[in-house]
């Protein structure tokens, strides 16, 4: 067993894990953060995506002990109290989900994608960057629509903030 110390959704978490424990299992089983799903355990489906130090990572590809010292955000940490994150709100508005199993991973991937493209996104880029996230229900159209809409909302908000600061 090894010590694992993480910041998770703004809170310090200290625990122990077997050296073979994957980050996704530590989050779900030790911390009860079951919004992060396990679809394959073999790094193909993307349902397990969380942010590690600000970047989208498939948490089935990382050991909990490897993540020690990192700052993690899971789907549970994205909303601001009762206010949904713009990406969550866009998925809701544009019907970007059906069964919802892929949704936490899709939203964490989309948030990172939008953050990396502050200039905005086009459909081809969104589709290419979603390569690592599998959805068995929606046919992706509404997911892509939701991400494009969230990208517009977030880029307007950041331009507004920049104007205020100028
Ligand atoms: S459970 Fe991690 S990619 Fe499928
Ligand atoms: S909404 Fe069912 S897997 Fe994507």
């Amino acid at each position: 067993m090894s010590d694992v110390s993480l910041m998770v959704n703004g809170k310090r978490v200290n625990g122990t894990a077997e050296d073979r424990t994957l980050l996704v299992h530590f989050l779900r089983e030790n911390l009860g953060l079951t919004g992060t799903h396990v679809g394959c355990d073999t790094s193909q489906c993307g349902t397990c995506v969380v942010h590690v130090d600000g970047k989208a990572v498939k948490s089935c590809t990382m050991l909990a002990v490897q993540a020690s010292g990192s700052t993690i955000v899971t789907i549970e940490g994205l909303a601001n109290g009762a206010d949904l994150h713009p990406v969550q709100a866009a998925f809701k508005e544009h019907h970007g989900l059906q069964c919802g199993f892929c949704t936490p991973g899709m939203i964490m991937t989309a948030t990172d994608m939008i953050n990396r493209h502050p200039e905005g996104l086009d459909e081809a880029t969104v589709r290419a960057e979603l390569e690592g996230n599998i959805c068995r229900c929606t046919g992706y159209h509404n997911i892509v629509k939701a991400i494009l809409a969230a990208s517009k909302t977030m880029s307007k908000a950041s331009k507004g903030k920049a104007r205020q600061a100028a």
Side-chain angles (χ1 to χ4, degrees):
M1 298 290 266
S2 299
D3 292 334
V4 178
S5 173
L6 301 165
M7 281 297 282
V8 181
N9 299 334
K11 287 188 194 134
R12 168 69 52 199
V13 170
N14 295 308
T16 54
E18 286 187 53
D19 290 348
R20 63 181 181 162
T21 301
L22 297 173
L23 177 60
V24 66
H25 294 307
F26 187 79
L27 293 170
R28 288 176 56 84
E29 287 154 29
N30 294 48
L31 306 183
L33 295 170
T34 53
T36 302
H37 293 163
V38 185
C40 67
D41 246 353
T42 52
S43 78
Q44 294 173 61
C45 72
T47 60
C48 63
V49 173
V50 299
H51 293 180
V52 178
D53 294 331
K55 290 190 184 135
V57 169
K58 288 178 173 172
S59 58
C60 75
T61 62
M62 194 173 205
L63 298 167
V65 290
Q66 272 180 309
S68 195
S70 304
T71 297
I72 311 277
V73 179
T74 70
I75 191 71
E76 289 90 346
L78 216 52
N80 182 8
D83 294 331
L84 292 178
H85 184 281
V87 178
Q88 293 174 307
F91 268 67
K92 185 176 172 198
E93 192 184 330
H94 295 275
H95 310 290
L97 62 143
Q98 288 181 24
C99 80
F101 191 78
C102 70
T103 311
M106 285 284 180
I107 288 177
M108 299 312 285
T109 296
T111 308
D112 174 55
M113 190 192 310
I114 293 168
N115 289 339
R116 284 184 290 100
H117 293 278
E119 72 290 355
L121 281 163
D122 56 41
E123 183 174 339
T125 307
V126 173
R127 287 184 181 276
E129 293 221 8
L130 279 185
E131 197 193 358
N133 290 73
I134 294 172
C135 176
R136 291 169 297 183
C137 306
T138 64
Y140 300 93
H141 294 298
N142 288 353
I143 291 175
V144 173
K145 245 193 246 171
I147 296 172
L148 290 171
S151 163
K152 272 196 193 136
T153 309
M154 288 167 72
S155 109
K156 260 191 225 152
S158 72
K159 278 181 194 148
K161 268 187 208 153
R163 265 198 299 276
Q164 275 172 7

